Amino acid sequence: QRAELVHTQDERGATALHSAAYTGHAAVVKALVAAGANVHSRTDDGDTVLHCAATQGHAGAVKALVGLGADVHAQTGNGFTALHDAAQRGHVEVAKALVALGAELNMQGDSDGCVLHIATLGGNVEMVKVLVELGADVHAKEKDGFTALHHAGMEGHAAVVRVLVGLGASVHDRQQNGATALHLAAQH
C-alpha cells in the first residue's frame, strides 16, 4: 500500500515526484524514486518530472532526475524538451546543466522551434548568449525559414537582435514569404 502512494496522481495527473521536482526538493526526488516513483511519469498535459524541475529553474533537481534516469530528450505534446522550457523561462543554470547532461541544443520541437528560437522569443539576452556559447546554431531555420534573428526582429527585441548579429546571424536570411528580420522588425 505504501508503494502505491508514490504513484497516486492529482487532478492534473501529477504525482508526488512531479511536486518535488516542481519545488526543487532534490533530496525528496531521490527518496521518492528510491521508494518506487516513476522518473518517466507524465502529467495529463504531457509534462515529465524533468520538465517540472526545468520550468521552475531547479538545477539541483534536474541533475538528480537525470542521474536517476530521466530522459533529457523527452518531449511534451508540443515537442518541447526540458531544455526548451528552461530557455523559455530564462533559467540559464538549468540550461547549462541540461546541455552538460546531454540535451540537444539544436533539436526542433514539433512546434518547429529550436531552443535558441524559444529563448529569442522571450528576449533573454543572457540566455541567447549562453546557448550560442554552448553550441546553438544561430543559422538554424524552421520549416518556414524563420531564424532566431527573424523571431527577435518580429518581437521587437533589439538587444537580442544586436547580440545575434554580433554572433554571426545573417541579416540576409529570408523566411518563406521572402521577409528578412528587418521586414519583420519594421512591422512590429
Side-chain angles (χ1 to χ4, degrees):
Q1 184 179 19
R2 190 176 207 177
E4 287 180 25
L5 288 176
V6 298
H7 302 293
T8 303
Q9 297 177 315
D10 66 14
E11 69 276 357
R12 298 179 310 107
T15 64
L17 186 56
H18 286 94
S19 296
Y22 189 83
T23 55
H25 297 298
V28 176
V29 163
K30 291 176 184 177
L32 287 167
V33 172
N38 181 358
V39 75
H40 303 292
S41 65
R42 292 179 179 266
T43 64
D44 295 341
D45 293 334
D47 288 335
T48 66
V49 177
L50 187 59
H51 285 93
C52 291
T55 297
Q56 295 304 309
H58 300 302
V62 163
K63 291 174 187 175
L65 286 162
V66 174
L68 293 165
D71 180 6
V72 296
H73 300 106
Q75 296 180 335
T76 60
N78 67 356
F80 275 22
T81 64
L83 183 54
H84 284 91
D85 288 344
Q88 183 177 41
R89 298 278 182 109
H91 299 307
V92 172
E93 293 308 312
V94 172
K96 287 179 181 179
L98 285 165
V99 171
L101 293 165
E104 172 58 47
L105 271 167
N106 296 308
M107 181 177 192
Q108 297 260 344
D110 291 342
S111 60
D112 208 23
C114 67
V115 174
L116 182 59
H117 294 182
I118 301 305
T120 301
L121 286 168
N124 188 317
V125 172
E126 181 185 7
M127 180 62 78
V128 169
K129 286 180 183 178
V130 167
L131 290 173
V132 174
E133 287 169 10
L134 291 171
D137 181 4
V138 296
H139 306 291
K141 291 185 178 184
E142 296 173 358
K143 292 175 191 156
D144 59 7
F146 269 81
T147 64
L149 190 59
H150 284 103
H151 286 299
M154 185 173 66
E155 295 296 323
H157 298 309
V160 174
V161 167
R162 284 190 293 276
V163 166
L164 288 169
V165 170
L167 292 169
S170 174
V171 296
H172 303 290
D173 282 342
R174 294 175 181 268
Q175 49 114 309
Q176 214 168 34
N177 71 4
T180 65
L182 184 59
H183 287 104
L184 297 173
Q187 293 171 10
H188 299 343

